[in-house]
Amino acid sequence: MNEQDLERLKDLLLRQRQEIFDRLQGLESGWEALSERDIEREEEAQKVDLTALYDQLDNLEQQEIEDIDLALKKMAAATYGACEKCRKVMSLKRLEILPATRFCKRCTRKAEGKTRR
Ligand SMILES: [Zn+2]
């Protein structure tokens, strides 16, 4: 991987990170509007359901941010692009699609097979 590719992937990661924060902010303001409506209508059951949904989204996005930060750290340590499991260097094509991925295609598929069972 040359320096130019690395710069481009770093830009991708930083942009993804920004998008997640933007989305989180959007969710928060959506949540405020929702609470106001719920107080007006007193739809308690619906409110609980939506709270669970928002919590779930938060966790997913936290995970995404963790992966992105990890990828950025690996870039700084010059270990970026290698699969964490088999240590194989991943293709630039895969990294361009999933810049924050930690595992190569084969290891991801293997892990998914195990969890699905
Ligand atoms: Zn692997």
Side-chain angles (χ1 to χ4, degrees), residues 83-88 103-108:
C83 170
E84 282 183 25
K85 205 159 192 169
C86 67
R87 304 278 156 201
K88 215 179 85 184
F103 305 106
C104 70
K105 217 183 221 169
R106 246 184 70 208
C107 292
T108 303

Side-chain angles (χ1 to χ4, degrees), residues 15-61:
R15 211 175 312 147
Q16 277 191 356
R17 204 173 185 278
Q18 188 56 51
E19 272 169 24
I20 292 169
F21 279 121
D22 287 350
R23 216 153 61 203
L24 278 178
Q25 261 166 353
L27 274 181
E28 259 168 48
S29 41
W31 172 234
E32 273 167 37
L34 189 80
S35 318
E36 278 165 21
R37 255 210 330 265
D38 278 348
I39 291 162
E40 280 171 30
R41 292 185 192 172
E42 291 178 298
E43 287 173 351
E44 276 303 313
Q46 195 189 358
K47 193 170 148 187
V48 170
D49 275 356
L50 285 165
T51 307
L53 192 73
Y54 276 111
D55 281 347
Q56 214 181 340
L57 280 173
D58 271 353
N59 284 340
L60 267 175
E61 267 151 350

